[in-house]
Each structure stands twice: as C-alpha cells, then as structure tokens.
Amino acid sequence: MFRRLKPDQMVECVCNVRLEELIRRGIFNIIIDLDNTLIPWGEDQIIPEVYQWVKAGHEMGFKFCIVSNSSFKRIRYFASKFGMLVAPKRGKPLSRAFKSAMVKLDGNQHNTAVIGDQIFTDILGGNRLNLYTILVEPISKKEFIGTRVMRFLEKTVAKRRKP
Ligand SMILES: [Mg+2]
C-alpha cells in the first residue's frame, strides 16, 4: 500500500523537472495535473516559468496530456493555452482517467510519466499503472477543503514511513 504512495521523484516546482533526464529514461509522454501543478488553485494566471518549461518540453518533442478532476471547461481552456491534450475521462486516482490519457498520448508504461501535486490522486494513480511518478509542491496554499483533508492524511502517512 505505502509503496504505491511513493513518488519516483520529488521537486519544488514543475519547472524544476529535468526534461533531459526524462528523455534519458526513455520518457517522452507526460500526464500532468492542472490545479496547483500547472496553475495556482482556483486562479487563471499562467506562471511564466511554468509556461517556458512546457514550451521547452514541446521543443524537445514531449507530448503532454492534462488529467484533472477540475471542470472540463477549465481543463480545455488551459489545455489550449499550453498546447496540451485533454484526457477524456476524469476521476483520479481511478486508472480509467490515466488510461484514457495514455490512449490520447499513444503512450505506454515505459515512456510515460505522471506529474502532480497530490499523493492520493496523482502519485497513487500513476504508480498503479507502473508509470514514472513525480510529485511537485503545490503552487498555491489556497486549496479545496477536501484537498486539505488529504494533506493531513499525507502527512500522517509520511510520518509513518520514516524508520
Ligand atoms: Mg493538483
């Protein structure tokens, strides 16, 4: 159980994910979360550093697909801003959401990574499908109340994981 909650990599910001390193691992498809990974939760501002990171990714040949539990209207809006695909299914951490993204990307478990800010949705969902998982720190402290409950649980799990 706990093994599935452990990301392969942790970074402060999505813009700190080293794309060359992913290419060395044979990864060129990225399933990415929207709120608090690409965009501050509940806001419409695109952070220039994040935008530049995505742009660099496209130039290096990466394909991106957003998997989010947010509204499709919001997902599609930012997908077009970033030039990303949209997973037709939601409901993270259910596998169907991630599988629908992999079909969109035409990816497989060896060439696809998941990036997100939540252990119980992004990381758990990605690890279930044996994808390479990267946890980022949430951009904004303002969060949906349900997410705050999850943060509390995450901290509890993290404490228990320590030897
Ligand atoms: Mg998120």
Side-chain angles (χ1 to χ4, degrees):
M1 170 69 185
F2 284 163
R3 192 176 50 86
R4 291 221 166 149
L5 298 175
K6 198 175 173 300
D8 292 298
Q9 202 186 114
M10 284 189 266
V11 292
E12 201 175 322
C13 167
V14 70
C15 43
N16 296 132
V17 172
R18 293 178 56 210
L19 294 163
E20 322 76 54
E21 195 193 315
L22 293 183
I23 287 175
R24 273 201 298 277
R25 290 178 182 275
I27 292 167
F28 47 87
N29 295 305
I30 297 178
I31 292 174
I32 193 156
D33 170 54
L34 180 63
D35 285 303
N36 267 344
T37 297
L38 284 171
I39 300 287
W41 190 84
E43 286 180 36
D44 299 331
Q45 296 285 323
I46 291 180
I47 297 164
E49 287 82 2
V50 173
Y51 187 82
Q52 287 305 318
W53 177 85
V54 173
K55 191 165 167 266
H58 279 135
E59 284 165 6
M60 290 166 83
F62 279 89
K63 281 195 284 179
F64 296 87
C65 184
I66 299 178
V67 175
S68 168
N69 291 344
S70 188
S71 74
F72 273 122
K73 190 177 168 223
R74 183 170 164 82
I75 299 169
R76 287 203 193 96
Y77 173 78
F78 286 110
S80 82
K81 291 268 177 200
F82 282 110
M84 294 180 176
L85 298 163
V86 174
K89 291 185 179 158
R90 297 183 301 174
K92 288 187 292 188
L94 297 180
S95 293
R96 62 168 193 208
F98 294 89
K99 280 182 185 161
S100 76
M102 285 169 78
V103 170
K104 271 268 170 177
L105 289 162
D106 197 19
N108 61 44
Q109 68 174 75
H110 305 291
N111 62 25
T112 309
V114 175
I115 304 177
D117 70 300
Q118 286 192 60
I119 290 176
F120 286 95
T121 55
D122 306 306
I123 304 305
L124 176 60
N127 282 345
R128 268 187 184 154
L129 294 177
N130 289 316
L131 305 179
Y132 188 78
T133 50
I134 303 173
L135 182 70
V136 301
E137 282 180 24
I139 295 176
S140 167
K141 297 274 182 274
K142 268 189 291 172
E143 287 176 306
F144 177 59
I145 185 69
T147 309
R148 279 196 224 144
V149 173
M150 280 304 183
R151 296 268 171 238
F152 173 77
L153 292 174
E154 282 174 6
K155 273 186 200 138
T156 309
V157 170
K159 262 184 216 149
R160 271 200 227 150
R161 261 211 314 265
K162 280 181 192 150

